[in-house]
Amino acid sequence: MTKMRQYRSSTALALTLLMLPAAASAQQASGSNEAAKAVDAAPAQEEIVVTGFRRSLDNAAEIKRRSDVISDTISAEDIGQFPDQNLAESLQRITGVQITRSAGEGSSVSIRGLPSEFTRVQYNGRTLGSGGTRSFDFTAFSALFTSAVEVRKSPSADMIEGGLSGTVDVRSARPLDIGKTTLSASAEGVYEPNRGNVTPRVAVLGNWVNASGTFGVNAGVAFERRKFRTKQVTTYGAETSREAPLFDASGTAIAGGKSPPVDYNVDGDTNDTYSFTHGADYSVLDARRDRLTAIGGYQWKPGGDLELYGDLFYSQLKNQSTTDRAQTRFTDISPMFAGGNYGVRGSTIVTDYNSLLGTGSAGFLTRLDADGISLQAISRGDESKVDLFSIAQGVKWRSGRFSVQAEGSYFKATNTTRTFGLAAQARASAEVSYPDGIGTAPQVVFNRGFNQLDPANFYLTNEDIQAFTRNDRNYEGRIDLGYELGEGFFRRLKVGAYYNDRRFTNTSAYKVLTADQLAALSNGTLTVTPGVEGSGGIPASGFLRPTDLSGLSNAPQLLVVDQGKFGQLLSRQTYFEDQDITPQPGSGFDVGEKSIAAYARADFATSDDKLSGNIGLRYLRTRTTSAGLSPDLNGLIVEADRVTTTIPTADAVLVKSRYASWLPSLNLRYNLTPQFVARFAAARVIGRPGLGDLSAGTSVDANTRSINSGNPSLSPYKSDQLDLSLEYYLPRGGLLSIAGFYKHLSDYVLSGQTSQLLTVQYRTGGTATLEFRRNQSLNLANGDIKGVEVAAQLPFQYFSDSLDWLGMFGSYTLIDAPKFPRRQGGRAFPLDGVARNNYNIGAYVQKWGVGLRGSYTYRGRFSSGGGTFGDGSFTRTYGQVDASADVTISNRLSATFDVSNLFDVKSYQENSFGLLVTEAFTGRRFTAGFRLKL
């Protein structure tokens, strides 16, 4: 238990110190000493035992106060009692931190608006990854064994580089730090109304320390199962398509339009270019997520000057899901059989958005009435597993003024995914419109006698199978030497070296089975009707069913493939599990990074300790290797689905590169009064390019007509940054702070783009010459990010002892970020992930063994990608209320209850001119159970 001395401090004096820092500063040392004496002389009252959520706030404030850099912390109340179930959701309470959710659960963390790839994530000070990407997925990390999570926003020279936006350090308590033998356990049930299941969440953590307190070990294991349902409608954005053929100077057609051609404005020709909604994809995802986490460690202090320690961390996250999809593709209009009826009967076209749609657009279709619209009944199966293993061994030794610490570590993360999709096709007569505006889901009305619920209208045309394997492996070592210089201005000198050898690999494999191939596997239980979609289809009457799309806006009743019924005709093992898939030439990447760094850091302070800080310089040298395949683009084969592209031949290439960086840093802390702290920081930091950007390979997408090439010679992103903060520490654990930050970004990576004509061969026969966009990443842009952060945690006991049961907390972040084009010469979009306004506010009650807490978190509209067709994707403003409660039954037993997304809020995405791209919801999540401490 933590005990705090209760001070009787004048509220008026505290507010004066807060509001008049200049006057306080002018008093110099004498005034500060008098204030300190007044505090020390305050009459001591009874000792107050601080527990529950307030204790975690007190711990966090104390860590922030002692920090030698600008940072914020979320702290556990006690071992096994982190205040939130998900680390990312905890971190969103910190000023300047925003999170992205996956199925309603926090998954990735952004700091001060920069993309999550610029957030460096560490476990007990060492590198941690989650498989094939620089962005760490927090869904693979249990919070049950976490003692604190610190967000460091300014660096010092001894910190490992790479956190351009900041560093998140997840810490577990070592055995001797806990200092006693103890056992804690929890057993909870998780209930999600959208799915209707109760699933387990259990953990046990033991810590043993010998009688002399010189040796200790701990170990823990946790298991959590989550079953959830996500419903979603996706339109993919506005597709701008060339309806007319492209001719060269001689009048020869060199790039075809749609095949067959479509007259969208019903004027008798197809020589127009329009933008329109690609389609509406209604989906219901049922998933099970199992997370197993285990930790272990030891700590040995055989003598006062030597310490040995080691720890390991293991996490396995398994996902199994089935997604029922019913898709209408308004851009795919053709007959089911050759010579059949198809075409546009009527449309409404507006030109209000032409400036946003791109060059050559003749308007946007807000209404389309047509025959032959693609209507697909689909079911997808997905199996994925993320294995993460990390181990470290370290030693600390001190002799007089000299100290040394050395540590070696290793981690490996493997992310494997295998998925399939069964697609049945129909050709519908339907009208698509936006009765509620383009910011809502389109309305689809089937007409002219077409029944979308009649399975006889559908034919299974293909199955696609995909497999992905992502590996992230790292060897890491460091040595840090320290020397205490004495009581002069410079107090301590640190020097050290760091080495890491990291390798990322990503392989992708695709395969398409046609209707004929599926029928051949079935030994006669499936038959093919010739001529469907030009190649043949399997009548789908025996394996379709309606799906429940309730809760989605304007969702019609639609059919999907029933995997169970289809499995009775052709086993899942035959059509999926036993299928060999050849990796796609030119896809994926194999990137190696070897870095060596050296640093020097000096800590300093004035004789009265009012001014203190550190100054240092870090030198970094990185060598990269990138292996890949460079394909022959003259042999592209487009499959029957007109989406998947096969590249027949490719040559192996290996590209080497290197770069070096000098990274200076300065951190200052000035105690204006004993309670009032000012901080200043200046530094240069780097962020390494995305792994896909460093790829030496080339990939092709015939659906969007794009060629994507990596660039292994990219330089790292750079940021020259300044930070200034004022922190006022109230008695009884209160805190008020305001901070400003500035980052000058340089060498920002954009996509350089050129056009290229390629002749492709359709698997079903025939060729076409198509215009492709070749994209390659280049260091092209510079820009500035500026912002202000305000935070408060206020125990009401500060105002009156009778309010010792009540408190509030909150933060607000304002970010002003630049706009960058997504491709060279293109239209500028806001920096991905940056919401201008972000805030959270909450309150807690802690009295008589009962704790209640509620919070509201808001994130403003932000850019979330380029969009499927380059029209941008923006996540709309989102706010969510979460609440929790705990009841102390005895000194050893307590009951807990949590609810996430209390008001069942949906999330939305739109494109650059307000067209709805995604509407999705997972619903509320309730957790209740017991915690035991022995």
Side-chain angles (χ1 to χ4, degrees):
M1 308 288 273
T2 295
K3 297 185 177 180
M4 300 177 58
R5 175 177 294 177
Q6 184 180 26
Y7 298 109
R8 292 201 175 275
S9 172
S10 166
T11 301
L13 173 62
L15 292 177
T16 300
L17 292 174
L18 176 63
M19 300 303 294
L20 301 175
S25 178
Q27 293 177 6
Q28 300 298 330
S30 60
S32 299
N33 292 336
E34 290 300 321
K37 292 176 182 178
V39 172
D40 291 338
Q45 306 297 313
E46 72 278 7
E47 289 186 323
I48 301 172
V49 178
V50 181
T51 62
F53 181 69
R54 177 178 165 183
R55 179 175 176 181
S56 72
L57 293 179
D58 291 350
N59 292 343
E62 185 61 25
I63 294 172
K64 178 180 178 71
R65 189 172 191 168
R66 296 196 310 263
S67 178
D68 55 5
V69 298
I70 295 176
S71 68
D72 290 283
T73 299
I74 302 291
S75 177
E77 173 198 348
D78 203 348
I79 183 171
Q81 288 186 255
F82 201 73
D84 296 276
Q85 299 174 10
N86 178 281
L87 293 183
E89 292 170 5
S90 282
L91 288 169
Q92 69 181 331
R93 295 203 308 270
I94 288 179
T95 56
V97 174
Q98 300 85 41
I99 70 170
T100 300
R101 288 182 169 87
S102 170
E105 187 176 3
S107 57
S108 61
V109 169
S110 299
I111 301 175
R112 291 176 167 176
L114 287 165
S116 59
E117 289 80 4
F118 293 143
T119 300
R120 175 178 170 80
V121 178
Q122 300 179 162
Y123 178 69
N124 287 337
R126 62 183 187 267
T127 304
L128 198 63
S130 53
T133 175
R134 296 198 192 276
S135 176
F136 184 78
D137 186 353
F138 279 86
T139 60
F141 206 117
S142 173
L144 294 166
F145 306 133
T146 302
S147 63
V149 182
E150 184 177 8
V151 177
R152 299 173 184 171
K153 300 173 183 177
S154 69
S156 57
D158 55 322
M159 289 173 55
I160 301 173
E161 67 285 334
L164 186 141
S165 62
T167 296
V168 175
D169 193 8
V170 181
R171 297 200 297 271
S172 63
R174 291 201 170 106
L176 299 184
D177 297 333
I178 297 172
K180 60 183 178 180
T181 298
T182 182
L183 179 71
S184 62
S186 64
E188 297 171 312
V190 183
Y191 174 71
E192 303 200 31
N194 272 5
R195 188 69 186 269
N197 298 100
V198 177
T199 54
R201 184 174 187 262
V202 295
V204 60
L205 175 63
N207 193 79
W208 178 83
V209 176
N210 66 1
S212 62
T214 59
F215 181 77
V217 295
N218 61 17
V221 62
F223 176 77
E224 178 181 357
R225 171 167 292 170
R226 184 183 171 207
K227 290 185 177 181
F228 58 88
R229 173 172 293 159
T230 298
K231 293 185 178 182
Q232 180 169 304
V233 57
T234 303
T235 70
Y236 301 101
E239 178 177 354
T240 301
S241 178
R242 184 181 302 278
E243 294 307 320
L246 178 67
F247 297 91
D248 63 13
S250 66
T252 303
I254 56 175
K258 283 192 172 295
S259 177
V262 178
D263 180 9
Y264 280 93
N265 61 353
V266 199
D267 67 350
D269 64 61
T270 59
N271 296 321
D272 301 295
T273 300
Y274 295 104
S275 296
F276 39 89
T277 298
H278 176 78
D281 190 340
Y282 304 90
S283 65
V284 180
L285 178 145
D286 283 330
R288 190 184 81 180
R289 179 177 289 172
D290 290 347
R291 179 169 57 204
L292 175 67
T293 306
I295 69 165
Y298 84 94
Q299 194 174 10
W300 183 32
K301 295 182 177 180
D305 298 327
L306 179 65
E307 176 186 341
L308 298 173
Y309 65 89
D311 65 69
L312 63 85
F313 171 83
Y314 174 74
S315 175
Q316 182 184 85
L317 181 68
K318 288 184 177 180
N319 286 284
Q320 292 182 322
S321 66
T322 297
T323 305
D324 295 332
R325 292 175 53 192
Q327 183 182 82
T328 51
R329 293 182 62 189
F330 316 133
T331 64
D332 184 355
I333 299 175
S334 66
M336 177 70 77
F337 296 93
N341 185 42
Y342 81 101
V344 175
R345 290 175 172 258
S347 61
T348 300
I349 300 170
V350 299
T351 59
D352 296 354
Y353 313 108
N354 281 3
S355 62
L356 300 171
L357 291 170
T359 305
S361 176
F364 177 76
L365 277 73
T366 59
R367 184 185 67 87
L368 175 71
D369 183 12
D371 299 317
I373 290 178
S374 173
L375 175 61
Q376 296 186 19
I378 306 170
S379 186
R380 299 203 66 86
D382 185 284
E383 298 176 355
S384 66
K385 183 174 71 169
V386 179
D387 282 298
L388 172 59
F389 176 76
S390 175
I391 189 169
Q393 172 63 55
V395 59
K396 296 179 182 179
W397 178 70
R398 176 179 292 274
S399 177
R401 294 185 176 186
F402 179 75
S403 64
V404 60
Q405 179 175 359
E407 182 177 287
S409 63
Y410 166 82
F411 90 78
K412 183 175 183 180
T414 302
N415 187 334
T416 58
T417 300
R418 190 174 168 97
T419 181
F420 71 90
L422 297 165
Q425 176 82 269
R427 292 292 171 175
S429 294
E431 180 175 305
V432 183
S433 62
Y434 290 89
D436 301 318
I438 64 169
T440 61
Q443 182 181 79
V444 183
V445 177
F446 297 96
N447 50 31
R448 290 182 286 280
F450 180 82
N451 181 3
Q452 81 276 16
L453 297 178
D454 183 359
N457 289 324
F458 291 81
Y459 294 86
L460 183 70
T461 55
N462 66 83
E463 177 201 9
D464 69 273
I465 310 174
Q466 305 176 30
F468 309 92
T469 301
R470 304 174 180 92
N471 292 294
D472 183 0
R473 184 270 300 154
N474 190 55
Y475 295 99
E476 190 171 73
R478 64 181 300 168
I479 184 168
D480 300 277
L481 307 176
Y483 187 77
E484 304 295 333
L485 298 173
E487 297 300 321
F489 179 71
F490 286 102
R491 303 290 182 86
R492 190 183 189 210
L493 178 65
K494 289 182 67 177
V495 296
Y498 167 79
Y499 173 79
N500 86 299
D501 178 354
R502 193 169 186 179
R503 185 181 180 188
F504 309 88
T505 60
N506 183 335
T507 59
S508 303
Y510 306 90
K511 186 175 186 177
V512 175
L513 296 178
T514 65
D516 287 328
Q517 290 171 315
L518 288 169
L521 291 172
S522 71
N523 295 321
T525 59
L526 299 174
T527 61
V528 176
T529 300
V532 174
E533 298 293 314
S535 60
I538 299 168
S541 298
F543 48 85
L544 299 186
R545 61 170 173 81
T547 189
D548 178 15
L549 300 174
S550 60
L552 293 174
S553 301
N554 292 330
Q557 292 181 297
L558 294 169
L559 298 177
V560 296
V561 170
D562 187 318
Q563 289 187 25
K565 292 180 179 179
F566 186 78
Q568 295 174 3
L569 303 173
L570 179 61
S571 72
R572 180 185 173 107
Q573 181 174 352
T574 300
Y575 71 78
F576 176 51
E577 295 170 0
D578 289 346
Q579 289 292 320
D580 291 327
I581 317 174
T582 302
Q584 180 78 7
S587 66
F589 51 79
D590 184 343
V591 176
E593 289 179 344
K594 292 184 179 180
S595 298
I596 186 167
Y599 77 90
R601 166 181 161 170
D603 295 352
F604 54 82
T606 56
S607 59
D608 58 2
D609 287 331
K610 290 189 66 174
L611 174 66
S612 61
N614 59 77
I615 186 170
L617 180 65
R618 187 177 186 89
Y619 174 74
L620 167 71
R621 187 177 182 87
T622 300
R623 295 184 178 183
T624 64
T625 58
S626 184
L629 296 174
S630 181
D632 179 4
L633 299 181
N634 292 315
L636 299 179
I637 300 174
V638 178
E639 305 291 345
D641 61 2
R642 301 183 184 178
V643 174
T644 305
T645 309
T646 300
I647 307 172
T649 59
D651 297 323
V653 294
L654 178 66
V655 182
K656 297 180 179 181
S657 184
R658 66 177 63 186
Y659 57 84
S661 302
W662 292 94
L663 306 175
S665 62
L666 170 68
N667 290 278
L668 298 176
R669 178 174 59 192
Y670 186 76
N671 297 322
L672 297 166
T673 73
Q675 295 81 30
F676 204 168
V677 178
R679 298 179 189 266
F680 172 79
R684 166 169 283 190
V685 295
I686 67 163
R688 291 189 169 91
L691 301 174
D693 292 331
L694 292 173
S695 170
T698 298
S699 62
V700 181
D701 186 335
N703 186 40
T704 58
R705 297 185 187 178
S706 61
I707 304 168
N708 297 299
S709 301
N711 183 357
S713 299
L714 286 173
S715 299
Y717 301 81
K718 298 182 183 68
S719 173
D720 294 322
Q721 60 187 43
L722 301 173
D723 289 87
L724 178 65
S725 75
L726 299 174
E727 303 158 8
Y728 187 74
Y729 293 88
L730 303 170
R732 306 174 181 89
L735 169 65
L736 302 174
S737 69
I738 183 170
F741 61 88
Y742 167 82
K743 293 177 180 285
H744 175 69
L745 299 179
S746 57
D747 288 335
Y748 202 84
V749 174
L750 302 181
S751 176
Q753 191 173 94
T754 57
S755 296
Q756 185 173 352
L757 295 176
L758 296 174
T759 299
V760 304
Q761 178 181 343
Y762 291 107
R763 181 75 73 184
T764 54
T767 62
T769 301
L770 304 178
E771 182 182 16
F772 285 76
R773 299 186 307 273
R774 176 180 282 274
N775 305 295
Q776 185 177 39
S777 299
L778 301 169
N779 296 106
L780 292 174
N782 302 319
D784 297 328
I785 297 178
K786 303 176 287 292
V788 176
E789 301 170 343
V790 181
Q793 58 187 55
L794 187 62
F796 279 31
Q797 187 184 9
Y798 174 75
F799 301 108
S800 171
D801 286 343
S802 63
L803 297 176
D804 62 349
W805 51 273
L806 180 63
M808 294 186 66
F809 59 91
S811 68
Y812 169 75
T813 305
L814 172 68
I815 303 174
D816 180 22
K819 292 184 177 181
F820 290 141
R822 300 192 183 281
R823 59 180 179 85
Q824 189 175 14
R827 184 166 64 91
F829 286 88
L831 189 64
D832 284 350
V834 177
R836 182 174 178 82
N837 294 288
N838 311 268
Y839 66 87
N840 73 85
I841 186 169
Y844 62 90
V845 172
Q846 197 84 39
K847 193 72 170 178
W848 299 308
V850 176
L852 303 174
R853 174 165 57 99
S855 63
Y856 175 76
T857 304
Y858 172 90
R859 186 178 185 182
R861 182 178 185 266
F862 64 92
S863 175
S864 47
T868 306
F869 302 104
D871 52 358
S873 178
F874 297 83
T875 299
R876 294 179 184 171
T877 59
Y878 182 86
Q880 177 173 307
V881 174
D882 303 314
S884 66
D886 61 86
V887 179
T888 300
I889 300 172
S890 70
N891 289 335
R892 296 181 176 180
L893 183 65
S894 62
T896 62
F897 175 80
D898 296 272
V899 58
S900 177
N901 194 12
L902 178 63
F903 295 109
D904 199 9
V905 180
K906 295 181 179 180
S907 62
Y908 297 89
Q909 290 182 324
E910 63 189 18
N911 74 350
S912 57
F913 61 93
L915 177 70
L916 179 76
V917 174
T918 300
E919 171 190 306
F921 65 96
T922 304
R924 303 177 182 90
R925 184 169 71 253
F926 298 92
T927 305
F930 297 93
R931 288 178 178 170
L932 176 68
K933 291 190 296 182
L934 299 174

